[in-house]
């Protein structure tokens, strides 16, 4: 689809324009995000129909964040709703990659987008509608921690240099034997342990994991 009002609107309007073209489960991602290809395979294998890829929040990260309990989002907070003294403890940074089921899109997300568009709120991010659905209890959104996976959001020239360094660092890790994870206890959610193991020796890369209990 083409958004003829691209300069005057935001991604909430672009996504709404695609409503007649999306009739299946989808992976929604933004074009300014650099990530490792295996992440898409992990998303496809996830048992959760609705999922947000996240990273542990740490400065100087900024933007939309999620708070979660046992791997399920309890709140999504957009940047504009984060005051100067905001408490980021336990926050997860969205990576701007999501997956949604067809039912969620048709029955919940698209109607929510339509309400915003009908009110002329086309300058917002589509995360505003996702955040509202979570707050209303109409969307159960699982979180997928990107862990040691490399990713970067490219918004300005400095971000490009950071992304180039990220790729170079990844190659250096391979040369010294890959990623090694040592676990000293099991996480309450077995999913987290499996994700940690999955970071090692993936896609033919060197590396291993050991858990000492």
């Amino acid at each position: 689809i083409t958004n003829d009002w691209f300069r005057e609107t935001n991604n909430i309007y672009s996504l709404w324009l695609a409503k007649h073209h999306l009739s299946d489960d989808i992976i929604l991602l933004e074009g300014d995000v650099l990530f490792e290809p295996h992440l898409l395979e992990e998303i496809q294998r996830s048992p959760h129909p609705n999922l947000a890829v996240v990273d542990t929040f740490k400065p100087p990260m900024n933007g939309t964040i999620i708070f979660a309990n046992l791997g399920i989002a309890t709140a999504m907070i957009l940047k504009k709703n984060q005051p100067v003294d905001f408490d980021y403890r336990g926050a997860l940074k969205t990576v701007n990659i999501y997956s949604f089921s067809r039912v969620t899109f048709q029955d919940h997300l698209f109607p929510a987008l339509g309400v915003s568009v009908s009110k002329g709120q086309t300058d917002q991010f589509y995360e505003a509608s996702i955040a509202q659905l979570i707050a209303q209890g109409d969307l159960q959104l699982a979180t997928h921690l990107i862990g040691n996976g490399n990713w970067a959001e490219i918004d300005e020239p400095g971000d490009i240099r950071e992304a180039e360094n990220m790729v170079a660092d990844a190659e250096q890790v391979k040369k010294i034997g890959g990623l090694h994870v040592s676990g000293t206890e099991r996480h309450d959610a077995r999913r987290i342990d499996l994700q940690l193991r999955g970071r090692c020796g993936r896609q033919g890369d060197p590396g291993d994991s050991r858990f000492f209990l």
Side-chain angles (χ1 to χ4, degrees):
I1 60 100
T2 300
N3 181 359
D4 294 328
W5 299 94
F6 176 78
R7 295 185 181 278
E8 292 80 16
T9 61
N10 208 326
N11 60 17
I12 191 172
Y13 186 64
S14 298
L15 183 57
W16 181 78
L17 288 176
K19 61 183 181 298
H20 297 305
H21 301 272
L22 302 175
S23 57
D24 204 345
D25 302 345
I26 74 162
I27 295 177
L28 175 64
L29 55 89
E30 299 184 11
D32 61 352
V33 179
L34 176 68
F35 58 92
E36 297 180 0
H38 61 73
L39 180 59
L40 296 180
E41 298 177 6
E42 294 179 7
I43 294 173
Q44 290 177 314
R45 292 196 300 266
S46 173
H48 300 287
N50 306 302
L51 179 148
V53 179
V54 297
D55 197 358
T56 302
F57 183 89
K58 47 189 176 292
M61 289 181 175
N62 65 80
T64 300
I65 61 171
I66 284 177
F67 289 101
N69 181 32
L70 299 178
I72 302 297
T74 56
M76 174 180 280
I77 314 295
L78 275 65
K79 182 179 180 180
K80 68 177 183 178
N81 297 323
Q82 301 168 24
V84 176
D85 59 347
F86 190 83
D87 186 357
Y88 290 96
R89 287 177 295 180
L92 302 169
K93 173 68 179 76
T94 57
V95 179
N96 298 333
I97 302 177
Y98 303 88
S99 68
F100 293 104
S101 70
R102 176 184 60 83
V103 173
T104 295
F105 248 108
Q106 294 183 351
D107 294 353
H108 298 289
L109 187 53
F110 275 134
L113 296 174
V115 170
S116 294
V117 171
S118 67
K119 293 181 178 179
Q121 299 169 345
T122 56
D123 59 340
Q124 296 189 23
F125 293 98
Y126 55 68
E127 283 90 348
S129 295
I130 298 174
Q132 182 180 7
L133 290 173
I134 294 174
Q136 295 173 172
D138 293 329
L139 172 61
Q140 186 176 71
L141 186 68
T143 55
H144 181 86
L145 190 62
I146 200 168
N148 290 321
N150 290 323
W151 73 281
E153 185 175 2
I154 303 174
D155 293 323
E156 53 189 40
D159 296 333
I160 296 177
R161 291 191 294 272
E162 180 181 344
E164 291 173 342
N165 293 334
M166 180 188 76
V167 174
D169 290 343
E171 292 302 317
Q172 182 62 26
V173 169
K174 291 181 182 180
K175 291 180 181 179
I176 62 175
L179 175 66
H180 300 267
V181 170
S182 295
T184 58
E185 60 182 353
R186 291 197 179 278
H187 196 277
D188 290 340
R190 186 168 181 268
R191 174 179 60 90
I192 302 298
D193 291 336
L194 294 177
Q195 286 185 1
L196 288 172
R197 288 185 181 276
R199 296 287 179 264
C200 310
R202 184 171 44 193
Q203 302 294 313
D205 289 344
D208 62 15
S209 65
R210 293 185 181 184
F211 280 71
F212 303 90
L213 303 176

